[in-house]
Amino acid sequence: MSVINSDGPAVPPMFEPEAESMPRERLAALQQERLRGLVSRLLAAGGLQAGRLAAAGVADGRDVRLGDLAGLPVTTKRDLWEHYPFGLLAVPRDQVVAVHGSSGTGGRPTLVAYSRADLALWARMCARALAAAGARPGSLIHNAYGYGLFTGGLGIHQGAIKLGATVVPASGGMTARQVRLIADLRPQILTCTPSYAIRLGEALAEAGLAPGDGLALTAGVFGAEPWTEQMRARIAELLGLRALDIYGLSEVIGPGVAAECLAAADGLHVNEDHFLVEALDPVTGEPVPDGTPGELTFSTLTKEALPLLRYRTGDIASLRRGHCPCGRTLVKMSKVTGRRDDMLVIRGVNVYPSEVERVLLGEPEVAPDYLLVVDEREGRRELIACCERRTGRPPGPGDGDGLAAALERGLHDALGLRVTVAVLPAGSVPRTEVGKAVRVARWTGGDPPVPGLAG
Ligand code: DLL
C-alpha cells in the first residue's frame, strides 16, 4: 500500500523501514558499534588489514570511535589484486558459499567472496533498492543485468526473490527474445544498465510496443555504469517509466550499496547502516565537505567473508544529508560523475566522459549512443565525440555539419576545450548488448575505431 505523506507524492513502502528511516543519532551509534566489530574481526583475522591497523596503533576494535575513521588505514583495488584470489578472506575458506567479480578496469579480474550471511545481506540491500523503485510482492521484474560472475544479474535476482516479487531472469543480450518476454509478460520493473535500457527501448519501439500501448513499465533500476540526467530523460521518454539509479561494486557487495527512491529521484540513498561512506579528496585522501565531489570510500560494517576497511573505490560523487520526501534518513550520494581513472586529460584539461554526454544528449537531435575517440595518431592528443542524429525526427535547423558545429560550441562553452564532433550515419556507433557500455576508444593509428570517421 502506498502512503501519501505531507510532501504530496505517493511513497512506496520501504523494505526495511526501521533501518532506512532510523533517527540519525541512533544510526551513528549503530555505525560506531559495527565499526568496532569490523575492526575487531579484521584484527582477529590477521593478514594485510590487521597489519595496517596495528601499524596505525589500533590494537583493539573496542577503542575505535566513529570520529577516528579518517585516521584509519585504507584499502584499494591493488590490495585485492595482490592478494588474489583468497588472500583477504576473514573467514575459513569453507565458509565461502559464492564468489563473484568483475572483469574490471585494466582488464584484471577482481574476485570477491561471500559467506551465507553476506548473500542474505546482499539480497536485503537489493530488495531495499527495488522497493524504493515501487516494486512490491508480486511485481514482475524483468532483470536484464548479466548473470554470471558479474554481480548485477544474480544480485538483483536474489533481491527480487527476497522482496517476494516475480523475477524474470532475462540476463543480458539476445534482445529479440527480451522484447518477446516483455511483450508477453508485461513487467512493471526493468533492471539493466542504462545503455542497454536505450537499446531495449529502441528494439521495443521497432516491435511496435510503446508506453501505454503494450508496455506496462512503471520504473527502471539502472546502474553499473555512469549516466547523466540527460540520459535519464531519454530513457524515460523511450520506455515511459521513472528511471532510477542504483550503485554498487563487487568489492563492497555488488548492486544495492545505494539506490534512488521514486519519491525524489535525485540522488542515491546509501545503505550506511551496512556500508559506512566517506567522500575523500582523491589526491590528499582527506575527507571533503558534503556537497563537494570526492572519491567514495566504503567500510563494510557487517560483511563477513571479505570485510574491507575504508575501501577507496575510485568513483567520484558528492554526499548530501537532509530531509527526503521518501522518509529515508540515509545519506544521499550524487550520481557518479566518473571514475578517477576514467578522467581524460586533453591538452591539460580534465574531462570526464559524462561531461561530454551531458552536452551531447542535451541536444534533442542527438541519439543516445556515443563514443569518445582520443586521437593519439602521430603524437596528437585530440578528442573526437562521435554521435548520431536521432532517426525518425524531422531534420533540425542544420544539416549534419550544422549540428556538429552547434555541439562543438556547446562543448567548448561547457568544458573550455575544443572537441571535434562527428555526426555519423545511424548505426555507426558500436552498441553494447552485454556488459558495460564502452564510452572511450583510443585511436593510435590505422583504421578509425568507428567506421565512417574520417582520418
Ligand atoms: O557494476 C555492480 C552493479 C551492478 C551496480 C548492477 C549497479 C547495478 P562492478 O562490476 O564491480 O559492480 O563495477 C563497479 O561500476 O566502481 C563504478 O565505477 C561503476 N558503477 C556501478 N554502478 C554505477 C552507477 C557493479 N550507478 C563499478 N553509476 C563501480 C556510475 C557505476 N557508475
Side-chain angles (χ1 to χ4, degrees):
M1 190 183 59
S2 294
V3 179
I4 308 289
N5 78 357
S6 55
D7 293 274
V11 178
M14 298 175 206
F15 181 66
E16 295 184 323
E18 269 160 43
E20 295 174 72
S21 58
M22 189 180 287
R24 295 291 311 177
E25 313 76 62
R26 261 184 48 212
L27 178 60
L30 181 69
Q31 287 173 324
Q32 165 140 324
E33 180 196 320
R34 289 183 169 172
L35 179 64
R36 288 177 168 168
L38 167 65
V39 171
S40 298
R41 279 181 287 125
L42 290 173
L43 287 168
L48 178 81
Q49 296 190 80
R52 285 188 187 157
L53 280 164
V58 181
D60 190 329
R62 283 172 300 186
D63 300 337
V64 173
R65 287 169 310 142
L66 206 51
D68 300 333
L69 187 63
L72 296 179
V74 300
T75 42
T76 64
K77 202 178 215 54
R78 173 172 291 276
D79 296 326
L80 287 164
W81 285 339
E82 287 177 352
H83 295 80
Y84 178 90
F86 289 129
L88 293 182
L89 279 192
V91 296
R93 169 53 205 88
D94 63 2
Q95 285 181 27
V96 173
V97 297
V99 293
H100 276 279
S102 69
S103 52
T105 39
R108 296 171 81 172
T110 306
L111 217 56
V112 296
Y114 300 77
S115 69
R116 200 172 291 282
D118 294 336
L119 284 188
L121 170 68
W122 188 19
R124 285 166 44 213
M125 297 302 104
C126 287
R128 284 188 187 181
L130 293 167
R136 57 192 63 206
S139 296
L140 245 147
I141 300 179
H142 183 98
N143 184 21
Y145 284 113
Y147 281 62
L149 262 193
F150 175 53
T151 52
L154 282 158
I156 295 293
H157 185 98
Q158 300 301 333
I161 290 173
K162 186 76 199 168
L163 181 64
T166 310
V167 63
V168 182
S171 195
M174 294 205 274
T175 303
R177 190 182 69 172
Q178 307 236 8
V179 168
R180 182 65 203 261
L181 281 170
I182 291 172
D184 292 350
L185 299 178
R186 295 186 167 230
Q188 290 92 51
I189 308 284
L190 172 66
T191 55
C192 61
T193 60
S195 52
Y196 194 59
I198 292 281
R199 173 79 198 91
L200 257 182
E202 286 168 353
L204 287 164
E206 279 162 25
L209 294 161
D213 183 15
L215 287 186
L217 292 166
T218 57
V221 181
F222 305 126
E225 58 190 28
W227 55 303
T228 58
E229 290 300 328
Q230 286 71 15
M231 185 71 94
R232 191 202 296 272
R234 294 300 181 88
I235 297 173
E237 182 190 330
L238 200 55
L239 289 164
L241 47 62
R242 294 285 299 279
L244 302 174
D245 200 348
I246 180 168
Y247 168 84
L249 60 166
S250 316
E251 300 91 307
V252 173
I253 204 156
V257 173
E260 278 183 329
C261 58
L262 201 60
D266 73 340
L268 299 84
H269 290 286
V270 181
N271 286 318
E272 55 176 334
D273 48 336
H274 295 282
F275 312 112
L276 188 56
V277 63
E278 302 166 83
L280 305 182
D281 182 311
V283 178
T284 65
E286 291 301 317
V288 298
D290 283 356
T292 305
E295 180 177 349
L296 295 175
T297 300
F298 292 97
S299 299
T300 62
L301 295 177
T302 53
K303 244 173 54 168
E304 291 181 348
L306 184 67
L308 291 174
L309 183 63
R310 305 192 75 213
Y311 181 73
R312 292 188 61 162
T313 63
D315 294 323
I316 307 296
S318 57
L319 299 177
R320 177 158 50 101
R321 281 157 242 270
H323 169 79
C324 183
C326 74
R328 286 176 183 77
T329 49
L330 302 168
V331 65
K332 277 185 184 177
M333 56 177 260
S334 68
K335 274 182 155 308
V336 171
T337 49
R339 288 187 55 77
R340 211 180 39 195
D341 43 17
D342 275 352
M343 192 178 75
L344 302 168
V345 184
I346 308 288
R347 295 192 302 276
V349 180
N350 299 347
V351 186
Y352 283 110
S354 62
E355 295 176 290
V356 181
E357 176 179 307
R358 212 167 287 139
V359 174
L360 294 180
L361 302 196
E363 166 54 65
E365 291 210 22
V366 174
D369 300 288
Y370 67 93
L371 183 75
L372 307 185
V373 173
V374 183
D375 183 358
E376 295 178 342
R377 290 170 304 156
E378 295 150 20
R380 266 176 272 201
R381 182 96 182 145
E382 303 289 333
L383 192 58
I384 309 172
C386 301
C387 60
E388 298 170 9
R389 189 185 280 279
R390 264 215 262 188
T391 50
R393 289 181 69 89
D399 50 13
D401 286 347
L403 180 58
L407 291 169
E408 285 175 358
R409 274 195 303 278
L411 286 166
H412 189 265
D413 290 348
L415 308 174
L417 179 72
R418 197 166 42 71
V419 179
T420 305
V421 174
V423 181
L424 300 171
S428 309
V429 174
R431 268 65 168 169
T432 308
E433 289 255 327
V434 179
K436 304 187 184 216
V438 176
R439 300 298 193 192
V440 180
R442 288 171 64 211
W443 188 6
T444 51
D447 290 338
V450 186
L453 186 61

